[in-house]
Amino acid sequence: MTQIGHIVIGVIVIAAAIYLAIFISQRLTARKVAKWLAHKAELAEIPMRDRLVEGRKMSLTGQTLKQFQTLEDRYNKLESAGFNAIDNQANEVLYESQGLNFVKTRREMRTLQDLLANAESTIATVTQGLQDLAELDQAHKEAVKELESKYQALRKTLLSQNFNFGPAVEKLEEILGSLEDDFADFSRLTEEGDHATASGIYETLGMETTQLEERIESIPPLFEVLDQKIPAQLDEIQNSYEAMLAAGFRFVEDISDEIAAIKKDRDQNLDLLAELTLKKVAERNNQLEARIEDLYEILEREGNAQREVLANQENLRAYWHHNKRQNHDLYIELDRLNQDFVFSKDEAGLVRSWDIQLTNVDKQLTQIEKAIKKHDAIYSEMLAPQNEANERLTTIEQEQLEMWQTMQELPNLLKQTRNRVMVLTDKLRQIQRNVERQSLPGVPDSYLSAFYAANDELQRLKQQLALTRVNVDDAQRQLSIVTADMDTLKEKTDKLIEDAAVTERLVRRALDYRNHSEVVQATQQARYFYEKQYEYDRALATLGTVLENFEPGIVDTTIKIYRQEQQALVAGFQERDQ
């Protein structure tokens, strides 16, 4: 086939493809246009005209009528021109789809879609607008009925219960009259169908009516407080105050002035109530009630204080007599014991000081009693001096009891001290016998000094206890000193005897090492300390140190054996005594 033939075939194929594309595009466009036209027909069949006729039956006027007319004009334009424009545009799209200008075809299709969307929007807007107007018409008609019923009820409440509102009733009636005037305008506009203008009035009416209802509800309890509760409470307080004054009560606060001030403030609050400044009225009511509560507390405080003061006074006077008798008994007991004992704490001076304090308490109690009799007593101010008197009497009684107990213990303490001295005397003799039984060559001067010092202290204590009048406190202190000295002497004695006995045993043990010169020399040195100087501890240390080189631990072992023997002896003596 020639080249020209191939070209011809190619042109035929391309033409066929183009034709096929145009055919397919035409078919698709025709289907879309048919679908859109069917939707337009559905929109046209909606009974919008019937809805508009129903809307006109609402007898709309003013702004509401203008709103309706705007909706009607919009639909009229759609009905007279809008639907035709959709049909014409559909034809234009079909026409353009016959050619090859696909761009223009798509542009015309978009225009058709926009026209159809505008038609949908118009129908939706008009439908919603008519529905809103119908609902507004119905709402306003219902509002007319509701408000009319409310105003009738409010008017009835103000007429039948005007005594519950006090000075506020005039202002409430004025507000209600103004609302009824506004309601008349709202009702007329609703009847005429001017719902747009009526809506503005209705919003104001609703807000102000609610406010009036709230006021009518909240005013009676506020007025009741001012008209009933506060006057009744003030009368009660005034009567109680006068009765208490007649009964002899006195007060720090000026109750009458405060009652007058509260009455004045209450009258001012009634003026505020008349102006319907209810928040401020409520705040001031609370303040007035708090002040009244303070007055009640003052009266209650003085009433309670009187009962407490009178009871305290009786108890304190009895307490005072008790302390006075007890002080007298202490004087007598001191005088009796003074024959046998010497007192070092100025007990008599203490009893005299308590007597002076009791005199002062008596003056304080007498002053309170005189104030009560003369009706000059502010009872709440008397509690503090009564508490002070009670604390003073309590302190005096405690100190009296301590002295009384001490004095009652004196004979027994003296007896115990004398018995203890006998025991210490036996102990000193025992210590002396223990030393003598050891047959020691002598004792150190330091030990002798301790022995004689303990003996001298013991003798002085005996002499003190042998006096006609004994100072038991001094004797007790001296006994403590002698006891401590005796314990120290006992420890020194035990140590002295132990050192001597252990040294003797070590000397005998040293005989086993007499062939060792150092042992012999140490033994001689120990004997010198033992027999000539009486320094038994030094003798033990001298010999023990050398023997430790031959028998490590010999000193501790010897001491241990000695102590065990002594414990056995003591145990034996105890069994024999039992």
Side-chain angles (χ1 to χ4, degrees), residues 364 379-389:
Q364 195 172 25
Y379 290 105
S380 59
E381 292 185 347
M382 291 184 173
L383 292 172
Q386 282 188 334
N387 290 335
E388 181 183 343

Side-chain angles (χ1 to χ4, degrees), residues 52 66-76 125-130 133:
L52 289 170
K66 290 180 180 179
Q67 293 176 5
F68 175 81
Q69 290 172 344
T70 300
L71 295 173
E72 187 178 41
D73 289 345
R74 188 168 180 179
Y75 182 75
N76 288 338
T125 300
V126 172
T127 300
Q128 186 61 48
L130 292 174
L133 287 174

